Amino acid sequence: MILSSLCITIKLKFSYNIKPFYTFLVQKSNSLFILNIMTKNYKISYLVAICFFFINFLSFAQTNYNLMSNWAFHPNKTGTLLDGFNIDIAVIDKNLNTTTVIQNTNNSMINTGVDVFFVHPTVLENMGSFTEIETIPIANQNTFMVAASIRGQAGLLSKYGRMFAPRYRQATPPTFINNNSDATQAATLGIAYSDIKAAFLNYLENHNNGNKIIIASHSQGAYLAGFLLKDVFDSNPDLQQKLVVAVIAGIVSNYANPDLNTGGWWQNIPFCTQQNECGCVMSWRCYKEGQIPPAPINSHPCLNPIVVSNGWANSQIDLSENWTMQDSLYYTDESSSLENFIILRNNATYGGNAGYVAFDNLYQIRHYRASLNQVGFLVQHTPEISDLRPNYLLDEESNPTFSTLGYHQKDYNIYTWALLEQIDMKLNNCNTELSTAIVDSNFSIEIYPNPASDCVYIKNFKINEQISVIDIMGKVVFSGYLNEKGGISIELLKEGFYLIRTNSGIGKLVISN
């Protein structure tokens, strides 16, 4: 506070015409942050620039992600809101009866060979009270609110594998609305992004062990995940091979070259053009039927030149040339029934013990493009006669920002089922050897113990039956024959997810050392 006050005082007393461009390099641990002060024809205080730089130099210090307190969810962090949580989905009819229970295994703590790295949206108490572009320390954020938000949006993704969800120093909402300075916005976003990058590199170095990766995000988290894709993935073919999908959801500026799916925000990572395509980007935003999706506004990071010069985007969006992207693979321009609007069951009297409830055929949805840069899903509430299911979108319509944000807070509730369906297909396609292993629980052989660490056995085995063990990359890591007890040794195999194949069929094995 003293340093900030000093800078304000200096600003009142001094003003100089300074060079059009200043570049500061800040080296902190493994990350390089470049802050460009663009001045052009403006007059700014030279000393204010120095003070501004010094304050942000101190702020860029990385958060320590060896500490479990800096993770909302982590497989080594027990007792979280996801640990042991029932992620089954109860499908509820118009009379509030359960018609189907879609069973899902919570693998948030289990190494299946696929990991989920989730970057949460802005989750701050009294959101409307923030009027300045600033960074909120992790210690000043509500731990429960952050964790609950992640469970509500991304909890179902834990069916695929371990959940890594870092906490980070969030930028306040005005950072994306009141862009008074490119440099101020870039510095504030840089602090948040430095945390996300540090968390991901910590995960990659200490926990990945060759696993496939699902990147998922929403809103502010989507910008930061987008930066991560460009900064860490876009020029790294090995990481691109690990990427199942990158979900960059809830923003209106996922952009590419016209009539193409690459060359915009990212040079080498495309937008998904097929539902079973791997290593690509999925994105969406949701509005009410009749609304016109907005175009990117000047305060969006995609229009900040420093975002590009810092290496967080391949190029600045050109609103006259680039087009903003929106998934149209699952729901097309033709209006259709929204499959399984999903929400946490919480204290609902229906749904039994399931953690989530789904309302099928309660809404209509269609993909809509108004212009090159205006695109989204349009959703309409279409209940049956005497339908008792609540309309959870109604509360969004009373939000003062609804005219521009639409159903932004419910993006995941609207599209999660479509997202899960497509990720299932991608996992089938990413590893042919793993085809139904992660998304299908109907295996033809039974393996025990499971998870295991030294030996595994096959029930109803045949003596001298041939067996193969296949890793997450589809590579056969062991081939041989079952012993007289129907077992094999797995002591030399790394922990993770494997398929066991015998003449009798196929089974899933988790090795946990």
Side-chain angles (χ1 to χ4, degrees):
M1 289 297 294
I2 295 175
L3 184 57
S4 300
S5 300
L6 175 61
C7 290
I8 292 172
T9 302
I10 293 173
K11 182 177 180 181
L12 293 173
K13 293 184 178 179
F14 299 96
S15 182
Y16 299 96
N17 286 319
I18 62 175
K19 293 181 180 180
F21 199 91
Y22 279 89
T23 300
F24 298 103
L25 301 181
V26 181
Q27 181 69 51
K28 281 288 183 182
S29 300
N30 297 323
S31 301
L32 180 67
F33 305 100
I34 305 173
L35 178 61
N36 296 320
I37 307 295
M38 303 289 292
T39 62
K40 297 182 180 178
N41 298 322
Y42 299 103
K43 286 185 177 182
I44 70 170
S45 167
Y46 179 70
L47 293 179
V48 168
I50 294 175
C51 291
F52 177 78
F53 163 71
F54 183 62
I55 292 170
N56 285 286
F57 178 90
L58 297 176
S59 300
F60 266 108
Q62 288 180 357
T63 298
N64 182 0
Y65 285 98
N66 288 319
L67 300 176
M68 288 299 104
S69 59
N70 291 325
W71 292 90
F73 297 109
H74 191 286
N76 293 345
K77 184 175 183 177
T78 59
T80 68
L81 292 181
L82 262 182
D83 187 6
F85 183 63
N86 183 335
I87 64 169
D88 291 345
I89 307 169
V91 182
I92 307 299
D93 67 13
K94 69 173 188 176
N95 297 313
L96 300 185
N97 296 318
T98 300
T99 60
T100 308
V101 176
I102 302 169
Q103 296 183 335
N104 297 296
T105 301
N106 183 341
N107 290 314
S108 60
M109 313 286 282
I110 303 296
N111 189 346
T112 65
V114 177
D115 296 328
V116 179
F117 188 89
F118 184 78
V119 188
H120 69 76
T122 310
V123 183
L124 297 170
E125 294 182 275
N126 303 315
M127 195 88 75
S129 66
F130 295 98
T131 59
E132 301 295 330
I133 297 176
E134 58 181 316
T135 301
I136 305 302
I138 291 175
N140 294 351
Q141 300 174 24
N142 186 308
T143 303
F144 178 83
M145 281 180 59
V146 171
S149 171
I150 297 171
R151 184 171 71 174
Q153 289 188 318
L156 282 165
L157 294 177
S158 65
K159 81 170 193 170
Y160 298 113
R162 299 180 300 178
M163 175 68 71
F164 295 83
R167 303 180 66 195
Y168 63 93
R169 291 170 288 177
Q170 299 178 51
T172 55
T175 307
F176 307 92
I177 301 171
N178 304 333
N179 184 16
N180 299 318
S181 164
D182 290 338
T184 304
Q185 183 190 60
T188 306
L189 290 175
I191 293 169
Y193 174 59
S194 71
D195 284 354
I196 297 306
K197 182 175 181 179
F200 183 78
L201 294 179
N202 181 284
Y203 150 75
L204 197 64
E205 180 178 353
N206 299 302
H207 304 285
N208 176 259
N209 295 322
N211 285 2
K212 290 287 189 179
I213 304 170
I214 296 171
I215 300 288
S217 59
H218 186 242
S219 199
Q220 175 173 175
Y223 283 115
L224 304 178
F227 295 169
L228 186 72
L229 277 190
K230 174 58 181 73
D231 188 22
V232 178
F233 281 79
D234 203 34
S235 58
N236 188 327
D238 291 336
L239 270 183
Q240 291 171 34
Q241 286 295 316
K242 292 183 178 183
L243 185 64
V244 177
V245 67
V247 180
I248 310 296
I251 55 178
V252 299
S253 52
N254 291 300
Y255 53 101
N257 287 335
D259 299 317
L260 296 175
N261 297 293
T262 57
W265 193 337
W266 311 283
Q267 182 63 35
N268 300 307
I269 301 174
F271 290 93
C272 299
T273 57
Q274 308 225 359
Q275 292 186 36
N276 67 350
E277 182 182 359
C278 305
C280 54
V281 173
M282 294 179 67
S283 63
W284 71 90
R285 274 291 298 272
C286 299
Y287 305 90
K288 185 177 181 178
E289 180 65 60
Q291 286 187 305
I292 303 297
I297 58 178
N298 289 337
S299 58
H300 285 180
C302 61
L303 287 161
N304 187 329
I306 302 176
V307 166
V308 177
S309 62
N310 281 358
W312 304 337
N314 173 62
S315 62
Q316 190 175 338
I317 188 173
D318 185 334
L319 293 177
S320 65
E321 293 290 338
N322 294 133
W323 64 343
T324 53
M325 301 296 294
Q326 165 83 37
D327 286 335
S328 58
L329 300 176
Y330 200 88
Y331 295 115
T332 65
D333 294 350
E334 184 177 345
S335 183
S336 61
S337 176
L338 172 64
E339 294 184 57
N340 290 337
F341 176 91
I342 299 174
I343 200 157
L344 279 168
R345 186 178 63 83
N346 289 329
N347 296 320
T349 56
Y350 44 83
N353 295 321
Y356 298 86
V357 293
F359 302 148
D360 196 21
N361 196 31
L362 182 61
Y363 302 94
Q364 291 284 306
I365 186 171
R366 67 185 177 106
H367 174 267
Y368 175 67
R369 181 177 288 279
S371 71
L372 198 65
N373 301 121
Q374 295 173 280
V375 62
F377 285 130
L378 300 185
V379 181
Q380 184 175 12
H381 183 223
T382 54
E384 299 178 47
I385 296 174
S386 303
D387 200 322
L388 299 177
R389 294 173 295 184
N391 178 12
Y392 281 104
L393 295 182
L394 194 59
D395 58 344
E396 294 299 303
E397 297 178 24
S398 62
N399 191 315
T401 60
F402 178 73
S403 60
T404 54
L405 294 183
Y407 294 132
H408 179 54
Q409 299 296 329
K410 296 293 191 294
D411 283 328
Y412 267 82
N413 306 102
I414 291 168
Y415 203 64
T416 287
W417 182 254
L419 175 64
L420 297 176
E421 291 278 272
Q422 292 181 78
I423 292 178
D424 287 353
M425 287 185 271
K426 293 177 191 303
L427 286 169
N428 279 336
N429 190 45
C430 285
N431 296 284
T432 55
E433 292 285 359
L434 295 178
S435 58
T436 60
I438 297 171
V439 299
D440 189 355
S441 59
N442 297 319
F443 300 105
S444 53
I445 61 173
E446 187 173 348
I447 303 165
Y448 68 97
N450 199 355
S453 59
D454 49 11
C455 294
V456 293
Y457 301 88
I458 310 297
K459 282 192 175 181
N460 302 319
F461 70 97
K462 298 176 183 178
I463 297 175
N464 292 327
E465 187 171 9
Q466 191 170 9
I467 184 170
S468 298
V469 181
I470 304 158
D471 70 11
I472 187 67
M473 304 303 292
K475 179 181 178 182
V476 177
V477 295
F478 173 84
S479 182
Y481 297 89
L482 294 173
N483 62 28
E484 66 277 7
K485 294 182 179 180
I488 60 167
S489 172
I490 57 169
E491 287 182 324
L492 299 181
L493 298 181
K494 297 179 181 178
E495 70 173 3
F497 173 83
Y498 295 85
L499 287 186
I500 299 288
R501 175 179 290 161
T502 71
N503 298 335
S504 303
I506 197 167
K508 179 175 71 171
L509 170 66
V510 175
I511 296 179
S512 179
N513 296 325

